[in-house]
Amino acid sequence: MKQIGIGLAGFGTVGAGVFKHLVQNRDLLSQRLGLELAVRRIAVRDPRKPRAVSAPAENFTARWEDVVDDPAVQIVVELMGGIEQARALIVRAIEAGKMVVTGNKALLAEHGKEIFDLAAARQVPVFFEAAVAGGIPIIKAVRESFIGNHIVSVHGIINGTTNYILTRMTDAGLDYAAALAEAQAQGFAEADPTLDVNGWDAAHKAIILASLAYGTWICPGNVFVEGIEHLTARDIGFAKTLGYRIKLLGIIKCDAGGRIEVRVHPTLIPEKHVLASVNGVFNALCVRGDVVGETLFYGRGAGQDPTASAVIADLAEAATALDVKRRDCGFMPHGLYGESKPLDEIVCEYYLRIPVLDKPGVLSQVAGVLGATNIGISSMIQPESDGERTELVLMLHIATHAQVRDAMARITALGCVKGQPQLLRVEHFEG
Ligand code: NDP
Ligand code: HSE
């Protein structure tokens, strides 16, 4: 049977998983593809390190260049992570005419335009199903299955670590620090979970999806990103009382004028919405197309096996398309949509918790500021006071980010406000 030579750059969590499953399911893949995917070379930082998944010692090298340059390698799989070395590897592979498969969402979010411009110029496809939502085939869905649709919106839980933390805060009443420590102990969070908890891992994925959906590469500076580090068990509790769950949501939309909106932030969503019951490390995405209507994708968004599944799917597609001339080399830019919407013009509803003195006139001062900035209150709860202090928990009607920033500055400056107010966004999935 014809063999296709694969070079693996990276043999960590995902790379080793890819190798393991290529071996385990060799017969199945060969029967389905009519060819064999044969790993010829593997680059790692330390070839002498003991590994849980074993591969022939002679395949290993400490130089990723050896993988790209090996004439027996036809498809290069980048699973090293990081930016500069991975970028150099992908550029070298494309320039050598070798198809690339990668799961590197941070690299694509930052340098996607440059990489796909080069891929198109050289007619060398780059595949990246593993970069968004692990084993869920969302890239294929948006790019191929919904090719006849304008994408109206995407709402996604696309970071497993933060979804685990928020689930434990909601179900077990843990505070943020305890839930994060538990996620690390369980091996879900990275040793350095910064990009997970500050929202940027999800933002990288949202940038990739939005770019595919709207045919223009989204600049990270045009994305509104807020993490979950400032969330408290009190907010989770108040949200529950009000009939909501808090999720780190990626939201991608396009307005009537074709302006694109991409944001990632902790979001109150109605407890009856399907995304509210996506718990633990699972990911889920609701994609709405103008032809297909509402669709839902659910599955494991990270980890060795689900991510390996996505990489192998890309490998299979690459291997069967080696001699086929493709119009789409990973990303097809077009001019059918407009610019990114300025962040200050993004509109949504809000939850606002304000620690205040418990004395007459306080509510009217807060309501006065909101009225003066033209922001309506849709409901309010006030927990039992300790005699001196209490909190106002307000649900606000729609307002722009600029309006709310102005209101927050004025509210924080009020003498009756005793602490940092907590502002969170609310989504009712109506647009
Ligand atoms: P790991 O840190 O587990 O593995 C990285 C691998 O790359 C290791 O084998 C390491 O070698 C090797 N490596 C790193 N730098 C170099 C270098 N300069 N030269 C040669 N080899 C190098 O990462 P993951 O497997 O978790 O992630 C890989 C990629 O997949 C990342 O881009 C990540 O964002 C993405 N991804 C990961 C998911 C996951 O669940 N883990 C999910 C979706 C995407 P050594 O083993 O010697 O240290
Ligand atoms: N850190 C990511 C997550 C891994 O928790 O979802 C998958 O991209």
Side-chain angles (χ1 to χ4, degrees):
M1 189 175 272
K2 182 178 171 188
Q3 290 197 337
I4 303 295
I6 310 295
L8 280 183
F11 202 75
T13 305
V14 184
V18 170
F19 185 85
K20 179 177 74 178
H21 291 293
L22 283 178
V23 171
Q24 263 174 21
N25 288 352
R26 176 185 287 137
D27 292 345
L28 176 76
L29 280 160
S30 302
Q31 291 303 317
R32 285 185 171 157
L33 298 174
L35 46 82
E36 195 179 327
L37 302 172
V39 176
R40 309 262 196 226
R41 212 86 171 102
I42 300 171
V44 289
R45 264 183 301 235
D46 178 4
R48 281 169 305 181
K49 191 159 99 180
R51 310 219 168 237
V53 174
S54 62
E58 66 273 18
N59 283 3
F60 282 89
T61 171
R63 297 180 69 251
W64 57 257
E65 292 88 342
D66 293 343
V67 169
V68 180
D69 298 344
D70 190 328
V73 166
Q74 289 155 282
I75 304 171
V76 176
V77 185
E78 185 282 304
L79 294 169
M80 301 190 303
I83 302 291
E84 286 313 324
Q85 297 288 300
R87 178 189 184 186
L89 178 150
I90 290 176
V91 167
R92 189 171 175 128
I94 295 171
E95 284 178 341
K98 298 191 179 187
M99 289 190 182
V100 175
V101 175
T102 181
N104 196 330
K105 58 245 171 182
L107 175 68
L108 293 181
E110 279 184 41
H111 298 289
K113 180 164 171 16
E114 166 202 335
I115 288 170
F116 291 112
D117 281 353
L118 182 65
R122 301 295 171 107
Q123 282 293 292
V124 178
V126 174
F127 299 84
F128 51 99
E129 185 62 69
V132 182
I136 304 174
I138 192 67
I139 299 292
K140 206 173 188 62
V142 169
R143 189 170 49 203
E144 295 177 26
S145 310
F146 300 154
I147 195 164
N149 285 255
H150 285 281
I151 302 297
V152 177
S153 62
V154 180
H155 292 88
I157 294 171
I158 46 180
N159 181 270
T161 304
T162 47
N163 203 42
Y164 179 85
I165 293 171
L166 294 176
T167 300
R168 295 296 290 153
M169 288 175 77
T170 305
D171 293 352
L174 299 184
D175 67 19
Y176 169 74
L180 171 59
E182 196 181 280
Q184 286 176 303
Q186 298 270 344
F188 299 137
E190 311 282 329
D192 176 6
T194 309
L195 291 182
D196 292 314
V197 298
N198 72 12
W200 272 100
D201 176 78
H204 291 150
K205 296 166 183 169
I207 287 169
I208 295 170
L209 277 181
S211 303
L212 280 184
Y214 298 121
T216 179
W217 204 264
I218 304 291
C219 166
N222 291 331
V223 180
F224 177 80
V225 185
E226 183 182 296
I228 65 163
E229 307 103 312
H230 62 301
L231 277 184
T232 67
R234 282 190 82 62
D235 297 305
I236 303 259
F238 284 129
K240 263 187 179 175
T241 306
L242 291 160
Y244 294 88
R245 294 288 177 272
I246 300 182
K247 296 289 183 187
L248 184 75
L249 211 60
I251 300 175
I252 299 166
K253 291 181 185 173
C254 183
D255 71 14
R259 295 187 310 166
I260 301 158
E261 171 179 331
V262 185
R263 47 192 166 108
V264 170
H265 46 69
T267 312
L268 276 75
I269 63 176
E271 64 189 359
K272 288 198 166 54
H273 191 274
V274 65
L275 290 182
S277 51
V278 174
N279 287 321
V281 290
F282 277 87
N283 282 195
L285 300 100
C286 295
V287 182
R288 190 181 299 173
D290 65 341
V291 181
V292 70
E294 196 81 49
T295 62
L296 176 67
F297 298 81
Y298 174 82
R300 290 183 191 276
Q304 184 168 71
D305 294 343
T307 313
S309 168
V311 173
I312 291 171
D314 278 351
L315 268 175
E317 188 178 344
T320 50
L322 268 179
D323 303 322
V324 180
K325 196 164 160 42
R326 294 171 70 106
R327 185 169 141 71
D328 182 347
C329 287
F331 171 62
M332 279 295 283
H334 58 72
L336 296 178
Y337 294 88
E339 303 282 298
S340 289
K341 192 171 193 166
L343 299 185
D344 272 357
E345 292 180 31
I346 290 176
V347 164
C348 59
E349 296 169 57
Y350 299 86
Y351 156 103
L352 176 58
R353 176 174 58 81
I354 315 171
V356 289
L357 287 178
D358 183 16
K359 63 176 201 185
V362 166
L363 180 57
S364 75
Q365 288 181 53
V366 170
V369 170
L370 291 170
T373 46
N374 208 18
I375 300 172
I377 299 170
S378 63
S379 67
M380 195 201 96
I381 54 175
Q382 184 179 333
E384 203 60 26
S385 154
D386 67 3
E388 263 183 53
R389 293 190 181 189
T390 185
E391 290 171 304
L392 303 176
V393 179
L394 307 166
M395 297 299 281
L396 306 179
H397 286 301
I398 60 164
T400 64
H401 280 201
Q403 263 176 291
V404 159
R405 196 179 49 244
D406 180 17
M408 290 299 288
R410 297 199 212 183
I411 286 171
T412 309
L414 291 173
C416 61
V417 171
K418 295 292 168 196
Q420 186 59 39
Q422 175 76 289
L423 179 77
L424 297 171
R425 286 158 179 82
V426 181
E427 179 68 29
H428 284 110
F429 303 92
E430 280 153 359

